[in-house]
Amino acid sequence: MKTRAEQCKDEGNKCMKEGKFTEAVIHYSEATKHEPNSAIFYSNRSLAFLKLDQLYLAMEDAKQAIKLEPSWPKGFFRKGEIEFKGGQYQQALVSYKKAMILDPSDSGILSAISKTNKEITKDNKEATRTPILYTFLGLLVGAVIVAADQFLTKAPALQFLPLQVLLVAGCGGIGFAVAKIKRYLIVSQRESCLEEPLDLLKEMGDKPEETSTASRQSPSSHTHHSQAAGKQRMRKGKA
């Protein structure tokens, strides 16, 4: 006879096979209520969140699975999957290698490590190649501008060679800067994927609380001020 938690897990597994990932999350969540110390349930829900592109929630469940079963390779493997999807390939490689230490015979882990190494190589090449490409394009645009100024206008604005060189170099510098900004935005976007999402209800709830606190304090402070002013007037009258 299966327990209620196992029944919920089976329902969640069925939903996963059918592509109903949101329903799977509900069933796995119910399973964790009945057996909160089961790493399998958290790992399964982590996968469901991953399929929904909820990387932060997926990571929280993966970490919980690792916490409950530190010697279970699936927890580290799940963590690596989330990091890989978020574009954090170096961190994913570390997680996969931890999983491999716990289970060296798992071909799935070895395949994931190989795939991650390829992505790291590709990403490093892209990070090196993009600034060079953008700089070259910038130099090319600068050269075209100088050529157009010299041959397509009656009175060239850039008559001196130093100015022409400066313009071409400036365009190349702009291209290099654009490439660096692009890379920064890519890295920032990857990092933000695993950050905790903003709780708008909580943020909105703080302000009314502050306002109500201020309003509660305001009458008493006003009364205190009025009493003090009255006492001061009485003392002046007696004097």
Side-chain angles (χ1 to χ4, degrees), residues 25-229:
V25 167
I26 296 173
H27 289 298
Y28 292 140
S29 298
E30 184 67 21
T32 60
K33 292 179 182 179
H34 294 283
E35 290 188 24
N37 295 323
S38 173
I40 295 176
F41 299 156
Y42 285 101
S43 176
N44 289 359
R45 191 172 68 175
S46 176
L47 178 59
F49 278 131
L50 181 60
K51 294 294 185 180
L52 292 169
D53 290 327
Q54 297 292 329
L55 300 189
Y56 173 78
L57 296 175
M59 179 61 75
E60 289 298 298
D61 276 352
K63 289 179 179 178
Q64 183 64 17
I66 293 172
K67 182 179 178 181
L68 292 171
E69 292 288 345
S71 60
W72 189 41
K74 197 59 170 287
F76 291 102
F77 180 79
R78 191 72 70 216
K79 183 172 179 287
E81 284 185 310
I82 299 162
E83 291 163 337
F84 184 90
K85 189 166 186 177
Q88 299 187 9
Y89 304 120
Q90 292 289 353
Q91 294 91 324
L93 184 61
V94 172
S95 297
Y96 285 142
K97 286 184 176 180
K98 288 181 178 178
M100 185 185 66
I101 292 173
L102 296 171
D103 188 2
S105 62
D106 192 325
S107 60
I109 298 174
L110 296 175
S111 176
I113 290 175
S114 176
K115 180 179 66 174
T116 305
N117 280 323
K118 290 179 181 178
E119 285 297 327
I120 290 174
T121 301
K122 178 181 176 182
D123 191 53
N124 289 339
K125 286 182 178 179
E126 185 71 18
T128 303
R129 183 172 53 203
T130 301
I132 296 174
L133 176 61
Y134 277 54
T135 301
F136 173 77
L137 291 175
L139 293 172
L140 183 61
V141 170
V144 170
I145 293 173
V146 170
D149 180 65
Q150 294 299 310
F151 300 108
L152 299 180
T153 59
K154 293 182 179 180
L158 303 171
Q159 297 181 356
F160 302 102
L161 181 61
L163 291 178
Q164 297 172 0
V165 173
L166 185 62
L167 175 63
V168 174
C171 290
I174 292 173
F176 179 81
V178 169
K180 287 297 184 181
I181 293 172
K182 179 183 177 182
R183 180 65 184 179
Y184 173 78
L185 293 176
I186 290 174
V187 173
S188 298
Q189 184 180 16
R190 290 174 179 177
E191 293 176 350
S192 65
C193 287
L194 294 175
E195 291 180 355
E196 183 177 5
L198 182 64
D199 190 343
L200 294 177
L201 292 177
K202 182 179 179 182
E203 292 295 324
M204 293 172 64
D206 287 343
K207 293 182 179 180
E209 180 65 25
E210 293 174 1
T211 304
S212 61
T213 301
S215 64
R216 286 196 300 268
Q217 293 176 350
S218 179
S220 60
S221 60
H222 178 71
T223 303
H224 177 73
H225 176 74
S226 300
Q227 291 176 350

